[in-house]
PDB file of all heavy atoms in Angstrom:
ATOM      1  N   GLU A 580      -2.790   5.698  18.863  1.00 86.00           N
ATOM      2  CA  GLU A 580      -1.927   5.765  17.675  1.00 86.00           C
ATOM      3  C   GLU A 580      -0.844   6.821  17.842  1.00 86.00           C
ATOM      4  O   GLU A 580       0.296   6.633  17.405  1.00 86.00           O
ATOM      5  CB  GLU A 580      -2.770   6.063  16.436  1.00 86.00           C
ATOM      6  CG  GLU A 580      -3.641   4.895  15.999  1.00 86.00           C
ATOM      7  CD  GLU A 580      -4.600   5.267  14.891  1.00 86.00           C
ATOM      8  OE1 GLU A 580      -5.037   6.438  14.841  1.00 86.00           O
ATOM      9  OE2 GLU A 580      -4.933   4.388  14.081  1.00 86.00           O
ATOM     10  N   LEU A 592      11.721   3.017  20.001  1.00 92.00           N
ATOM     11  CA  LEU A 592      11.883   2.382  21.309  1.00 92.00           C
ATOM     12  C   LEU A 592      10.917   1.223  21.487  1.00 92.00           C
ATOM     13  O   LEU A 592       9.810   1.219  20.951  1.00 92.00           O
ATOM     14  CB  LEU A 592      11.637   3.399  22.425  1.00 92.00           C
ATOM     15  CG  LEU A 592      12.573   4.609  22.508  1.00 92.00           C
ATOM     16  CD1 LEU A 592      12.086   5.562  23.587  1.00 92.00           C
ATOM     17  CD2 LEU A 592      14.001   4.159  22.791  1.00 92.00           C
ATOM     18  N   GLN A 596      12.179  -0.275  26.831  1.00 93.00           N
ATOM     19  CA  GLN A 596      13.093   0.871  26.806  1.00 93.00           C
ATOM     20  C   GLN A 596      12.382   2.157  27.239  1.00 93.00           C
ATOM     21  O   GLN A 596      12.948   2.973  27.972  1.00 93.00           O
ATOM     22  CB  GLN A 596      13.670   1.037  25.399  1.00 93.00           C
ATOM     23  CG  GLN A 596      14.625  -0.074  24.999  1.00 93.00           C
ATOM     24  CD  GLN A 596      14.998  -0.015  23.531  1.00 93.00           C
ATOM     25  OE1 GLN A 596      14.192   0.333  22.677  1.00 93.00           O
ATOM     26  NE2 GLN A 596      16.245  -0.363  23.227  1.00 93.00           N
ATOM     27  N   ASP A 618      -8.458   5.071  29.748  1.00 81.00           N
ATOM     28  CA  ASP A 618      -8.063   6.241  30.540  1.00 81.00           C
ATOM     29  C   ASP A 618      -6.548   6.276  30.695  1.00 81.00           C
ATOM     30  O   ASP A 618      -5.874   5.262  30.608  1.00 81.00           O
ATOM     31  CB  ASP A 618      -8.733   6.176  31.917  1.00 81.00           C
ATOM     32  CG  ASP A 618      -8.653   7.499  32.645  1.00 81.00           C
ATOM     33  OD1 ASP A 618      -8.344   8.514  31.984  1.00 81.00           O
ATOM     34  OD2 ASP A 618      -8.899   7.520  33.858  1.00 81.00           O
ATOM     35  N   VAL A 633       6.462  17.063  23.112  1.00 88.00           N
ATOM     36  CA  VAL A 633       5.235  17.499  22.452  1.00 88.00           C
ATOM     37  C   VAL A 633       4.309  18.090  23.505  1.00 88.00           C
ATOM     38  O   VAL A 633       4.547  17.983  24.710  1.00 88.00           O
ATOM     39  CB  VAL A 633       4.528  16.323  21.745  1.00 88.00           C
ATOM     40  CG1 VAL A 633       5.439  15.722  20.681  1.00 88.00           C
ATOM     41  CG2 VAL A 633       4.102  15.244  22.740  1.00 88.00           C
ATOM     42  N   LEU A 641      -6.295  16.929  21.082  1.00 80.00           N
ATOM     43  CA  LEU A 641      -6.972  18.224  21.002  1.00 80.00           C
ATOM     44  C   LEU A 641      -6.385  19.113  19.920  1.00 80.00           C
ATOM     45  O   LEU A 641      -6.976  20.130  19.546  1.00 80.00           O
ATOM     46  CB  LEU A 641      -6.889  18.938  22.362  1.00 80.00           C
ATOM     47  CG  LEU A 641      -7.514  18.167  23.541  1.00 80.00           C
ATOM     48  CD1 LEU A 641      -7.308  18.936  24.845  1.00 80.00           C
ATOM     49  CD2 LEU A 641      -8.998  17.937  23.287  1.00 80.00           C
ATOM     50  N   LEU A 675      -1.781  15.081   3.555  1.00 90.00           N
ATOM     51  CA  LEU A 675      -1.090  16.265   3.036  1.00 90.00           C
ATOM     52  C   LEU A 675       0.147  16.575   3.876  1.00 90.00           C
ATOM     53  O   LEU A 675       1.214  16.896   3.331  1.00 90.00           O
ATOM     54  CB  LEU A 675      -2.041  17.460   3.030  1.00 90.00           C
ATOM     55  CG  LEU A 675      -1.425  18.808   2.616  1.00 90.00           C
ATOM     56  CD1 LEU A 675      -0.890  18.744   1.189  1.00 90.00           C
ATOM     57  CD2 LEU A 675      -2.453  19.932   2.749  1.00 90.00           C
ATOM     58  N   MET A 688       9.041  20.140  -5.414  1.00 94.00           N
ATOM     59  CA  MET A 688       8.748  21.554  -5.551  1.00 94.00           C
ATOM     60  C   MET A 688       9.779  22.254  -6.430  1.00 94.00           C
ATOM     61  O   MET A 688       9.442  23.133  -7.232  1.00 94.00           O
ATOM     62  CB  MET A 688       8.715  22.215  -4.163  1.00 94.00           C
ATOM     63  CG  MET A 688       7.563  21.746  -3.286  1.00 94.00           C
ATOM     64  SD  MET A 688       5.943  22.037  -4.050  1.00 94.00           S
ATOM     65  CE  MET A 688       5.920  23.830  -4.124  1.00 94.00           C
ATOM     66  N   LEU A 689      11.047  21.851  -6.316  1.00 93.00           N
ATOM     67  CA  LEU A 689      12.101  22.449  -7.135  1.00 93.00           C
ATOM     68  C   LEU A 689      11.886  22.130  -8.610  1.00 93.00           C
ATOM     69  O   LEU A 689      11.963  23.017  -9.468  1.00 93.00           O
ATOM     70  CB  LEU A 689      13.465  21.931  -6.670  1.00 93.00           C
ATOM     71  CG  LEU A 689      14.687  22.436  -7.450  1.00 93.00           C
ATOM     72  CD1 LEU A 689      14.812  23.951  -7.303  1.00 93.00           C
ATOM     73  CD2 LEU A 689      15.957  21.753  -6.965  1.00 93.00           C
ATOM     74  N   ILE A 698      12.527  27.869 -16.428  1.00 84.00           N
ATOM     75  CA  ILE A 698      13.952  28.114 -16.200  1.00 84.00           C
ATOM     76  C   ILE A 698      14.819  27.342 -17.175  1.00 84.00           C
ATOM     77  O   ILE A 698      15.869  27.819 -17.634  1.00 84.00           O
ATOM     78  CB  ILE A 698      14.316  27.750 -14.738  1.00 84.00           C
ATOM     79  CG1 ILE A 698      13.564  28.680 -13.764  1.00 84.00           C
ATOM     80  CG2 ILE A 698      15.820  27.834 -14.515  1.00 84.00           C
ATOM     81  CD1 ILE A 698      13.736  28.302 -12.310  1.00 84.00           C
ATOM     82  N   ARG A 702      17.701  26.361 -22.488  1.00 83.00           N
ATOM     83  CA  ARG A 702      18.718  25.332 -22.704  1.00 83.00           C
ATOM     84  C   ARG A 702      18.146  24.155 -23.506  1.00 83.00           C
ATOM     85  O   ARG A 702      18.825  23.605 -24.374  1.00 83.00           O
ATOM     86  CB  ARG A 702      19.255  24.844 -21.362  1.00 83.00           C
ATOM     87  CG  ARG A 702      20.054  25.908 -20.619  1.00 83.00           C
ATOM     88  CD  ARG A 702      20.638  25.387 -19.335  1.00 83.00           C
ATOM     89  NE  ARG A 702      21.410  26.419 -18.655  1.00 83.00           N
ATOM     90  CZ  ARG A 702      22.023  26.228 -17.481  1.00 83.00           C
ATOM     91  NH1 ARG A 702      21.949  25.054 -16.880  1.00 83.00           N
ATOM     92  NH2 ARG A 702      22.698  27.206 -16.921  1.00 83.00           N
ATOM     93  N   ASP A 705      17.814  25.327 -27.084  1.00 86.00           N
ATOM     94  CA  ASP A 705      19.127  25.412 -27.728  1.00 86.00           C
ATOM     95  C   ASP A 705      19.619  24.019 -28.134  1.00 86.00           C
ATOM     96  O   ASP A 705      20.151  23.827 -29.234  1.00 86.00           O
ATOM     97  CB  ASP A 705      20.149  26.052 -26.787  1.00 86.00           C
ATOM     98  CG  ASP A 705      19.909  27.552 -26.617  1.00 86.00           C
ATOM     99  OD1 ASP A 705      19.135  28.115 -27.424  1.00 86.00           O
ATOM    100  OD2 ASP A 705      20.475  28.144 -25.683  1.00 86.00           O
ATOM    101  N   PRO A 723      20.051  10.343 -46.927  1.00 87.00           N
ATOM    102  CA  PRO A 723      19.870   8.977 -46.411  1.00 87.00           C
ATOM    103  C   PRO A 723      18.520   8.381 -46.821  1.00 87.00           C
ATOM    104  O   PRO A 723      17.574   9.103 -47.150  1.00 87.00           O
ATOM    105  CB  PRO A 723      19.950   9.167 -44.900  1.00 87.00           C
ATOM    106  CG  PRO A 723      19.455  10.567 -44.687  1.00 87.00           C
ATOM    107  CD  PRO A 723      19.962  11.357 -45.868  1.00 87.00           C
ATOM    108  N   ASP A 771      -6.544  -5.104   2.868  1.00 58.00           N
ATOM    109  CA  ASP A 771      -5.648  -6.250   2.760  1.00 58.00           C
ATOM    110  C   ASP A 771      -5.143  -6.373   1.332  1.00 58.00           C
ATOM    111  O   ASP A 771      -5.845  -6.038   0.376  1.00 58.00           O
ATOM    112  CB  ASP A 771      -6.373  -7.541   3.135  1.00 58.00           C
ATOM    113  CG  ASP A 771      -6.772  -7.550   4.612  1.00 58.00           C
ATOM    114  OD1 ASP A 771      -6.063  -6.894   5.390  1.00 58.00           O
ATOM    115  OD2 ASP A 771      -7.767  -8.207   4.946  1.00 58.00           O
ATOM    116  N   TYR A 809      -9.721 -30.041   4.659  1.00 77.00           N
ATOM    117  CA  TYR A 809      -9.939 -31.347   4.020  1.00 77.00           C
ATOM    118  C   TYR A 809      -9.129 -32.445   4.713  1.00 77.00           C
ATOM    119  O   TYR A 809      -9.610 -33.558   4.925  1.00 77.00           O
ATOM    120  CB  TYR A 809      -9.563 -31.228   2.537  1.00 77.00           C
ATOM    121  CG  TYR A 809      -9.348 -32.541   1.815  1.00 77.00           C
ATOM    122  CD1 TYR A 809     -10.422 -33.366   1.498  1.00 77.00           C
ATOM    123  CD2 TYR A 809      -8.065 -32.944   1.438  1.00 77.00           C
ATOM    124  CE1 TYR A 809     -10.220 -34.566   0.837  1.00 77.00           C
ATOM    125  CE2 TYR A 809      -7.865 -34.141   0.770  1.00 77.00           C
ATOM    126  CZ  TYR A 809      -8.944 -34.953   0.472  1.00 77.00           C
ATOM    127  OH  TYR A 809      -8.753 -36.130  -0.183  1.00 77.00           O
ATOM    128  N   TYR A 829     -27.300 -30.008  -7.507  1.00 66.00           N
ATOM    129  CA  TYR A 829     -26.157 -29.362  -8.159  1.00 66.00           C
ATOM    130  C   TYR A 829     -25.019 -30.346  -8.448  1.00 66.00           C
ATOM    131  O   TYR A 829     -24.059 -29.997  -9.119  1.00 66.00           O
ATOM    132  CB  TYR A 829     -25.635 -28.216  -7.296  1.00 66.00           C
ATOM    133  CG  TYR A 829     -26.683 -27.153  -7.057  1.00 66.00           C
ATOM    134  CD1 TYR A 829     -27.255 -26.991  -5.799  1.00 66.00           C
ATOM    135  CD2 TYR A 829     -27.107 -26.325  -8.107  1.00 66.00           C
ATOM    136  CE1 TYR A 829     -28.224 -26.032  -5.592  1.00 66.00           C
ATOM    137  CE2 TYR A 829     -28.085 -25.360  -7.892  1.00 66.00           C
ATOM    138  CZ  TYR A 829     -28.642 -25.224  -6.636  1.00 66.00           C
ATOM    139  OH  TYR A 829     -29.611 -24.271  -6.419  1.00 66.00           O
ATOM    140  N   PRO A 833     -22.963 -38.393 -12.125  1.00 43.00           N
ATOM    141  CA  PRO A 833     -23.345 -39.536 -11.292  1.00 43.00           C
ATOM    142  C   PRO A 833     -22.194 -39.944 -10.385  1.00 43.00           C
ATOM    143  O   PRO A 833     -21.036 -39.819 -10.751  1.00 43.00           O
ATOM    144  CB  PRO A 833     -23.672 -40.625 -12.322  1.00 43.00           C
ATOM    145  CG  PRO A 833     -22.875 -40.248 -13.534  1.00 43.00           C
ATOM    146  CD  PRO A 833     -22.865 -38.748 -13.565  1.00 43.00           C
TER     147      PRO A 833
END
Side-chain angles (χ1 to χ4, degrees):
E580 289 172 329
L592 298 175
Q596 291 170 324
D618 194 15
V633 300
L641 301 177
L675 175 61
M688 293 302 296
L689 179 63
I698 296 174
R702 292 183 179 179
D705 288 346
D771 294 332
Y809 163 72
Y829 300 109

